[in-house]
Amino acid sequence: MQLISILQQWQQQQWIRAIDLSLAEFIVESLGSDHEAVAFLAALTSYQLGRGHPCLELQSLRRDASAYLQLPPEHASFESRQQCSMPTHALALLPDDWQTLLQQSAACEGAASPLVLSAGQRLYLRRYWQYEQDIKADLAARCQAQSAWTGEQLKPTLDKLFGVSATISWQRVACAMAVRSGFTIITGGPGTGKTYTVVRLLATLQELREQEGPLRIHLAAPTGKAAARMTASIGREVGQLPTQYAALLGEAQAVTLHRLLGTQSHTRTFRHHRQRPLLTDVVIVDEASMVDIEMMAALTAALPAHAKLILLGDKDQLASVEAGAVLGQLCEQAEHGHYTPELAQWLAASHGVALPSSMIDAKGAERWPYLQHTVMLHESRRFDAERGIGKLAAEVNHQQTQWLREWLPHSAAFAEADAAMANIAALPVTHNSAPAFRQLVEEGYAPLRDLLQQDVAELEREPWGEAVLQQLERFQLLAAMRKGDWGVERLNQLVTLWLFGDDVAADKWFAGRVVMVTKNDYSVDLRNGDIGLAVQTNANAPLRVLFRGPTGKLRWLLPSRLAHVETAFAMTIHKSQGSEFTHTVVVMPDHDAPILSKELLYTGITRASERLTLVYADSQGVLQAVQRRIERGGGLRDDTN
């Protein structure tokens, strides 16, 4: 039982989770000690699931086990590295033919077995294999459900909503694509016009449908913050439409995916599912990069067969915290189009402008089936790709380090030479208490602190609360990691000290404490990721925690009602997804780590709407992060089962 002993060592040193070890022990107990090798691979599959990978990629494991598994983990002590076997040593104890070993094991046979070996390449926990199969089957059916409208018939409506242009409008192409197909992805970076497109898409669908009655449309996002932003941005864009179209749409209200599907307490299931689908004709999901494979399976199962599903998101952002990289896998290579000639001809007829020949691929349907339902928006209306935030985001996203090498130590000189570069700054520091960093934080939070010090009359409470929450969105620290000198835990301690002195503790309640909800709490109708602020309207008033509710109304809750919160002057970049801040400060650690990647840094940078400061202790660490990509396993793109 040498392999089980290795797993036990790893779990004792917190290299793997207790649940990973338990699965291996369960398989050995159920099937016998001669299944130890299969049990070991099962534990690795579970471990990878905890890291966001829905399966264990056997070829990657065999090629470089330590790099693929990221074992030993970054937090491993010198002593634990000496005591524990390395992954390469453990794998050497396995039989040579892993595929045959797994195929012949009862752990991979039958509908009740805990594991599934897919195409001899990927090992899944059965539940996650089933999620993948269900998603693929559902999307395949929706992709076949195409509208009877021709491109020529659609063109007059699109002319009214988008205007007539001699050059290609990818927003218009995306709208036409979504009218044509039962499933569509619209991807693009910040400011590329996803909301602009969606509002005109909804107006188009309603106009085409008008004689049959209005469509039942549902808008959703993974988090409360993202849903609130979606509601606000769509509301603003509807106001830009001609009156007759705005009247067709009415007031749009986005909700969380959990609320849309109907969460049931103390269970993984939802009120709406395949046997009890949603009453809807169109579902649009924003920030789809945050949707994990389990939630996507639940969503597709809950949609009636006739309903359109439209996903919006930035494929280059971080994938979901939980397992899977659904959006990234479905629209990989979207920037290159790969549209079939037939599809390109249909889209051109709806536009009056031909698609670039470089975007047309005769074998596109065979090689890239999901791209026949995907449009990437290329041009940002918010950021110039050659200047400021747009330039920095583009360089990171395209993994171009030469410009970054010059900019990091000389950002002030870049700003002096070009005023359009003044909205990005690099701040090199040697430690987390550096005076320049402290000054940056204190100045950033000074307007909020001034508001909190006001005495507020009862009649002024609501407008004051609104001003406080708006100010909270104007400055935010984002960290790459939770632990360490540059992790959110230490940063929150420092910010609390700098702003409020040493009389308060970062993890206790005090007026001015910014908090984030860390777990869905249905008793108070709060969701994971919601942001609140502890306030006192005057010296005699009780402490309340101020949140913005799903409809935008302010909520004033007693701290005692909040069971799952943490201080959030600084938050992880992962937790910031779906948010936007006027001035965003991205803090990089003083050492390289596997978690640091171009997706992480790109996501942090694109949370900034007007100003971005990159704080770093080691420029080489920033460059190494840009050169690293996140590769999540899975078979959503494959035809294999």
Side-chain angles (χ1 to χ4, degrees), residues 170-222:
W170 288 106
Q171 289 91 349
R172 179 169 175 154
V173 171
C175 182
M177 181 83 82
V179 170
R180 182 176 187 265
S181 178
F183 170 65
T184 310
I185 299 173
I186 303 174
T187 184
T192 50
K194 294 188 290 292
T195 303
Y196 172 90
T197 304
V198 162
V199 167
R200 282 152 185 78
L201 166 62
L202 294 177
T204 301
L205 292 173
Q206 290 287 29
E207 181 173 85
L208 298 178
R209 164 87 173 200
E210 192 174 16
Q211 59 195 17
E212 303 175 38
L215 287 165
R216 296 166 296 184
I217 296 169
H218 288 83
L219 308 176

Side-chain angles (χ1 to χ4, degrees), residues 390-410:
K391 173 70 171 177
L392 181 59
E395 294 293 325
V396 169
N397 193 34
H398 297 136
Q399 298 182 286
Q400 301 298 314
T401 57
Q402 182 176 348
W403 181 86
L404 286 166
R405 287 181 193 277
E406 299 173 7
W407 176 78
L408 282 170
H410 304 115

Side-chain angles (χ1 to χ4, degrees), residues 303-611:
L303 298 185
H306 75 276
K308 286 182 178 291
L309 174 61
I310 299 161
L311 304 181
L312 312 177
D314 185 346
K315 74 179 184 66
D316 296 316
Q317 276 188 199
L318 283 167
S320 57
V321 175
E322 302 298 330
V326 176
L327 187 73
Q329 287 196 0
L330 294 180
C331 58
E332 184 185 357
Q333 294 282 315
E335 60 271 29
H336 302 300
H338 291 290
Y339 302 128
T340 63
E342 295 79 12
L343 174 59
Q345 184 178 2
W346 190 96
L347 293 171
S350 73
H351 196 316
V353 179
L355 271 63
S357 59
S358 61
M359 307 288 279
I360 301 173
D361 181 353
K363 295 184 178 180
E366 177 185 343
R367 297 173 57 201
W368 305 99
Y370 292 121
L371 294 191
Q372 311 313 304
H373 308 269
T374 300
V375 175
M376 183 168 182
L377 308 181
H378 300 270
E379 186 176 348
S380 176
R381 301 182 179 190
R382 186 183 310 167
F383 301 130
D384 184 340
E386 295 301 321
R387 294 178 169 182
I389 295 171
K391 173 70 171 177
L392 181 59
E395 294 293 325
V396 169
N397 193 34
H398 297 136
Q399 298 182 286
Q400 301 298 314
T401 57
Q402 182 176 348
W403 181 86
L404 286 166
R405 287 181 193 277
E406 299 173 7
W407 176 78
L408 282 170
H410 304 115
S411 65
F414 276 69
E416 283 183 22
D418 185 351
M421 299 295 287
N423 66 353
I424 55 173
L427 179 62
V429 293
T430 55
H431 53 87
N432 57 19
S433 296
F437 180 53
R438 177 171 180 169
Q439 181 181 355
L440 175 70
V441 172
E442 290 180 338
E443 289 178 353
Y445 279 116
L448 177 63
R449 190 165 50 176
D450 291 344
L451 276 173
L452 293 173
Q453 290 172 350
Q454 295 178 4
D455 278 345
V456 183
E458 184 63 28
L459 291 176
E460 299 171 341
R461 191 176 84 150
E462 292 296 308
W464 176 82
E466 185 64 39
V468 164
L469 288 186
Q470 288 180 4
Q471 186 59 53
L472 204 57
E473 297 174 354
R474 292 189 178 126
F475 182 81
Q476 183 63 53
L477 290 175
L478 301 181
M481 310 173 79
R482 291 194 59 84
K483 304 288 185 180
D485 289 344
W486 291 101
V488 293
E489 293 177 1
R490 180 57 181 154
L491 290 175
N492 278 313
Q493 292 171 354
L494 288 172
V495 175
T496 302
L497 174 66
W498 294 340
L499 298 183
F500 300 98
D502 55 10
D503 293 335
V504 298
D507 59 349
K508 304 298 181 184
W509 286 109
F510 56 89
R513 183 189 182 196
V514 182
V515 295
M516 174 185 285
V517 177
T518 59
K519 185 177 179 180
N520 292 341
D521 190 342
Y522 304 105
S523 65
V524 288
D525 198 20
L526 291 174
R527 297 295 184 269
N528 185 5
D530 287 349
I531 298 292
L533 180 67
V535 298
Q536 280 182 292
T537 52
N538 58 67
N540 298 318
L543 192 69
R544 292 285 190 272
V545 187
L546 179 59
F547 289 92
R548 192 185 304 282
T551 63
K553 185 178 179 181
L554 301 186
R555 304 182 64 203
W556 308 75
L557 302 177
L558 286 169
S560 59
R561 298 188 65 192
L562 304 177
H564 308 285
V565 295
E566 64 183 19
T567 303
F569 293 109
M571 68 177 74
T572 61
I573 295 173
H574 270 96
K575 286 287 189 178
S576 74
Q577 288 179 270
S579 300
E580 184 179 272
F581 309 100
T582 306
H583 181 188
T584 299
V585 178
V586 175
V587 179
M588 295 291 284
D590 56 0
H591 61 281
D592 189 32
I595 193 175
L596 304 179
S597 65
K598 72 103 171 175
E599 290 88 354
L600 186 84
L601 190 51
Y602 171 81
T603 301
I605 292 167
T606 54
R607 298 311 90 203
S609 61
E610 296 182 14
R611 183 180 170 196

